Amino acid sequence: MEVLDWFLIVVTCDSLFPNCRTDSALKFSWFFLFYLIHIGFCIFAAIAPPIVFHGKSLTGILAAIEVFSDHMLVGIFYLVGFALFCLESLLSLWVLQKVYMYFRGNK
């Protein structure tokens, strides 16, 4: 499992954010800021409240409940999208934890 953790940290930090190689706290903070925005959007998309998008453009749980009454197959697709957004949120939180541990020196 350590090889997979190291691979995700290297791909996330070194490839996508080359400034993280300098181990500067300010440069790591940019990564954390944008990654937290990403996680926030994934959680928002998993819930899909009709606040910003008044249609059914995000496949969240609230949109899935609303669509289920009209079209069963489309509701199943929305539930699959909800599950994938939940999986993405959990995986992103795990990667954020690993990068934070790397930043703190627990390599």
Side-chain angles (χ1 to χ4, degrees):
M1 195 64 167
E2 290 181 13
V3 175
L4 179 63
D5 294 344
W6 180 248
F7 175 74
L8 287 174
I9 289 171
V10 167
V11 167
T12 303
C13 273
D14 290 344
S15 298
L16 297 176
F17 302 96
N19 293 334
C20 291
R21 283 187 238 158
T22 61
D23 290 337
S24 170
L26 180 63
K27 292 178 182 176
F28 262 102
S29 65
W30 283 110
F31 168 77
F32 290 129
L33 174 71
F34 286 113
Y35 211 68
L36 285 174
I37 291 171
H38 166 76
I39 292 171
F41 174 76
C42 289
I43 293 171
F44 180 80
I47 298 169
I51 296 171
V52 178
F53 305 107
H54 296 292
K56 297 172 187 74
S57 59
L58 293 175
T59 60
I61 190 68
L62 295 178
I65 292 170
E66 184 180 336
V67 169
F68 247 114
S69 62
D70 298 332
H71 306 286
M72 180 70 122
L73 183 62
V74 176
I76 291 172
F77 284 133
Y78 272 61
L79 284 178
V80 169
F82 163 70
L84 290 175
F85 270 123
C86 288
L87 182 66
E88 170 68 23
S89 299
L90 291 175
L91 183 66
S92 295
L93 286 171
W94 179 72
V95 169
L96 184 69
Q97 178 203 12
K98 294 297 179 183
V99 172
Y100 182 75
M101 296 298 283
Y102 176 78
F103 169 66
R104 286 292 174 202
N106 297 341
K107 300 174 186 175

